[in-house]
Amino acid sequence: MAFRLTSAPFVRPRNLGFLPSLCAIWSGTRSRNLSTDYSVAQSIYNTNHDEIEEPLKTQFFLDNKFVDSKSSTWNKVLDPATNNVVTLVPDCTNAELVAAVDSAEQAFKSWRRTTVLTRQQIMFNFVQLIRRDWDRLAASIVVEQGKTFADARGDVLRGLQVAETACGVTSQLTGELLEVSTDMETRNYREPLGVVAAICPFNFPAMIPLWCLPPAIITGNTIVMKPSEKDPGAAMILAELAKEAGVPDGVFNIVHGTRDSVDFILDEPRIKAISFVGSDAAGGYIYSRGCANGKRVQANLGAKNHAILLPDASKTHALNAVAGAAFGAAGQRCMAVSVLVTVGSTDGWIPDLISMAQKLVVTGGFEPDADLGPVITPQSRERIENLIQSAADEGATVDLDGRGYRPEKFPNGNFVGPTIITGVKPGMKAYETEIFGPVLVVVSVDSLDEAIKLVNSNRYGNGVALFTQSGSAAAKFQREIDAGQVGINVPIPVPLPMFSFTGNKGSFLGDLNFYGKSGLEFYTRPKTVTSLWRSADAAEAEKASVNMPTQS
Ligand code: NAD
């Protein structure tokens, strides 16, 4: 079946209509004048994909200042819709990396002694400022990451919710106390670790920095963050907002770079813990080297999330949910549904799913009717297209083929249209590999038991969803399925931050998950203090103090 999508004419997004027409890309504005004038940045940002005449360099963030890097190695950040250069990001020099840790180490001395109520007040401010600059953050994500504006706002929201939940630290961090013997009590409470680090992926430029920053600093740590070199803009805006919120100098520093910067973080003894989100290859390496160096590491990795259709499911709801979860964000979510498992007669629903997918509009993220934008790089598009071809080569059928799609308005972008491949079997490359694009592979089985076996045999264990109207089937599924996040009629069951982001098997390395109670535990360690204050001593002291001296 041929794949056709329409490109819409450019219209300023409805919810960006109030913005000034004089728009400068955030990073450019930042380099020109942001170190001194934050108010300018708050009101001016880009809301289109126009070419930037002189792309400026992204700075790093040290001691609450934006600083020009002295690096000789720079990475281009490209707008995925056009491949125009947006900004240049340095591989920070060793001296700059050391300076970031020096600053964080120095800041820790006073930040850890700042009362939790003061830290909470700063977090309240931070939350307000993210809300104020929500559209600006989202616009930066559209330009650097390629998401649609609405989806980019969701990226910010899911991070914002972590910051909001972190404000409840005052009731989440209370310790325990027990009198363990006469006049002797043991109290157990949690202390911050010190300097911690976050290494972030490209696909959620606001959410994942916000998975780390709020829980890390509200518990009294200081943090050095390395955003993805592909889209650091949202993290830089967050730095600016953190400063405005009252986060003291050095509590939050940002460094840039690729492998060398990561190696520095892994080997720097003053960094006590690392939060990593990204690919299996980088994550496996970071987890083992970080742990070998005695650090606490949490690493969220890749995924292959299955959605299972039972014949008794509500068909319209299920197909809508699957289409959104498979193709939204151009499939570049670790919780995207990338495998559809049809049970029994539900394989007959595929033509309807194809019709739904064909209606999705694939174009630049600022276009008002955009459903999905481009993938991150030309290399990523090529990799995705090769994986689609591999499925055809291995005997599957490409029923809807999004390869080669070019929206009229964005002929140079990294677009791949929604793709649906049926007749896929375990062992095929397209089944075994995380494609990370708008590609849904369909495996057909005869029973729920067979579907459960398929999911449980997969090496990944991030998310899974079952669509059914049967409570018994749902209960059996929930009991027997081996995945961290289970959705019943919910396609992307990512828990809100009062819970933790759970994942298992090959999708997670570590013991403590991101955010929620687990996140607070990750960034703190317990201390027990056992003290003896003898009543007898108090009585003696009282006696001694109330009697008038009788000695002559
Ligand atoms: P990536 O691994 O390429 O990059 C992530 C970070 O690691 C970046 O900061 C990058 O600079 C660094 N890095 C990359 N290669 C490295 C190497 N060889 N050595 C040291 N550091 C390295 O990942 P990505 O492409 O940015 O993100 C997409 C991946 O992230 C997907 O696999 C996706 O499933 C995964 N992801 C997982 C979750 C989750 O919660 N499980 C969430 C989001 C993304």
Side-chain angles (χ1 to χ4, degrees), residues 198-204 207-208 211 226-231 257-263 266 276-283 285-286 299-304 332-335 376 434 436 460 462 485 501-503 507-508 514:
I199 301 168
C200 305
F202 81 83
N203 68 327
F204 280 96
M207 180 184 83
I208 288 171
W211 280 7
K226 194 202 84 62
S228 169
E229 67 281 9
K230 297 190 176 87
D231 49 17
T258 48
R259 183 142 184 173
D260 287 350
S261 300
V262 170
D263 283 349
L266 294 173
F276 169 83
V277 180
S279 64
D280 298 353
Y285 167 72
I286 287 168
N300 275 12
L301 312 178
K304 200 81 181 172
Q332 296 176 119
R333 295 177 179 137
C334 64
M335 283 293 287
I376 187 75
E434 181 185 41
F436 225 53
Y460 289 113
N462 230 23
Q485 296 166 45
F501 187 100
T502 41
S507 296
F508 178 65
F514 280 77

Side-chain angles (χ1 to χ4, degrees), residues 312-349:
D312 68 356
S314 162
K315 181 177 164 185
T316 309
H317 167 70
L319 293 186
N320 263 323
V322 168
F327 307 124
Q332 296 176 119
R333 295 177 179 137
C334 64
M335 283 293 287
V337 165
S338 47
V339 183
L340 180 64
V341 185
T342 60
V343 178
S345 59
T346 60
D347 59 357
W349 298 2

Side-chain angles (χ1 to χ4, degrees), residues 84-101:
N84 292 333
V85 178
V86 176
T87 181
L88 298 166
V89 186
D91 275 359
C92 276
T93 65
N94 194 61
E96 290 163 358
L97 297 168
V98 170
V101 178

Side-chain angles (χ1 to χ4, degrees), residues 6-8 146 148 361-365 367 369-370 372-374 405 407 409-410 415:
T6 50
S7 163
T148 67
V361 177
V362 184
T363 185
E367 303 300 306
D369 54 351
L372 52 142
Y405 176 69
K409 191 168 169 194
F410 300 101
F415 293 91

Side-chain angles (χ1 to χ4, degrees), residues 10 21-28 32 45-56 76-87 143 366 409-412:
F10 175 76
S21 55
L22 169 66
C23 290
I25 187 68
W26 184 83
S27 49
R32 281 191 187 104
Y45 50 91
N46 219 16
T47 58
N48 60 51
H49 298 278
D50 292 352
E51 190 165 1
I52 299 158
E53 275 177 26
E54 287 176 61
L56 297 173
K76 284 180 185 164
V77 171
L78 302 176
D79 177 343
T82 58
N83 282 306
N84 292 333
V85 178
V86 176
T87 181
V143 173
F366 287 125
K409 191 168 169 194
F410 300 101
N412 300 322

Side-chain angles (χ1 to χ4, degrees), residues 247-535:
V247 173
D249 295 359
V251 169
F252 175 29
N253 292 323
I254 294 183
V255 296
H256 299 292
T258 48
R259 183 142 184 173
D260 287 350
S261 300
V262 170
D263 283 349
F264 170 86
I265 290 169
L266 294 173
D267 295 341
E268 164 57 68
R270 291 175 295 169
I271 292 177
K272 303 298 177 204
I274 298 173
S275 299
F276 169 83
V277 180
S279 64
D280 298 353
Y285 167 72
I286 287 168
Y287 184 78
S288 45
R289 186 154 163 178
C291 290
N293 285 335
K295 299 180 198 309
R296 186 178 285 188
V297 185
Q298 53 179 185
N300 275 12
L301 312 178
K304 200 81 181 172
N305 308 303
H306 297 60
I308 298 161
L309 296 180
L310 292 191
D312 68 356
S314 162
K315 181 177 164 185
T316 309
H317 167 70
L319 293 186
N320 263 323
V322 168
F327 307 124
Q332 296 176 119
R333 295 177 179 137
C334 64
M335 283 293 287
V337 165
S338 47
V339 183
L340 180 64
V341 185
T342 60
V343 178
S345 59
T346 60
D347 59 357
W349 298 2
I350 298 299
D352 289 345
L353 184 65
I354 291 173
S355 303
M356 272 180 189
Q358 279 175 313
K359 292 191 186 99
L360 296 173
V361 177
V362 184
T363 185
F366 287 125
E367 303 300 306
D369 54 351
D371 289 310
L372 52 142
V375 298
I376 187 75
T377 56
Q379 295 76 15
S380 175
R381 180 182 66 190
E382 192 184 340
R383 179 182 166 277
I384 292 164
E385 293 191 341
N386 288 341
L387 280 162
I388 297 171
Q389 185 57 42
S390 78
D393 294 345
E394 290 184 288
T397 308
V398 184
D399 293 275
L400 182 66
D401 191 348
R403 286 177 290 178
Y405 176 69
R406 303 283 175 272
E408 210 175 300
K409 191 168 169 194
F410 300 101
N412 300 322
N414 316 315
F415 293 91
V416 180
T419 297
I420 297 178
I421 309 174
T422 54
V424 172
K425 302 215 175 328
M428 290 183 182
K429 211 168 160 192
Y431 177 78
E432 302 296 340
T433 313
E434 181 185 41
I435 299 178
F436 225 53
V439 179
L440 182 67
V441 303
V442 183
V443 181
S444 296
V445 299
D446 293 327
S447 65
L448 178 58
D449 280 325
E450 220 182 307
I452 291 173
K453 198 169 159 200
L454 177 79
V455 175
N456 289 353
S457 309
N458 193 278
R459 70 190 170 102
Y460 289 113
N462 230 23
V464 68
L466 176 72
F467 291 88
T468 182
Q469 294 295 314
S470 159
S472 314
K476 170 187 166 72
F477 180 75
Q478 170 179 333
R479 239 185 341 263
E480 295 181 15
I481 206 73
D482 188 0
Q485 296 166 45
V486 180
I488 307 292
N489 298 317
V490 175
I492 303 187
V494 175
L496 290 181
M498 54 295 284
F499 301 96
S500 297
F501 187 100
T502 41
N504 61 20
K505 295 195 277 181
S507 296
F508 178 65
L509 291 171
D511 299 305
L512 292 167
N513 293 115
F514 280 77
Y515 64 76
K517 276 188 204 146
S518 211
L520 291 181
E521 283 179 20
F522 180 79
Y523 289 121
T524 54
R525 63 182 160 213
K527 180 179 262 183
T528 54
V529 177
T530 299
S531 40
L532 173 64
W533 295 107
R534 299 190 313 145
S535 308

Side-chain angles (χ1 to χ4, degrees), residues 173-195:
L173 264 198
T174 49
E176 295 168 332
L177 185 141
L178 186 70
E179 187 172 34
V180 291
S181 179
T182 305
D183 293 342
M184 181 183 282
E185 64 181 28
T186 297
R187 64 178 64 202
N188 179 349
Y189 56 96
R190 302 192 73 86
E191 292 192 321
L193 302 178
V195 181

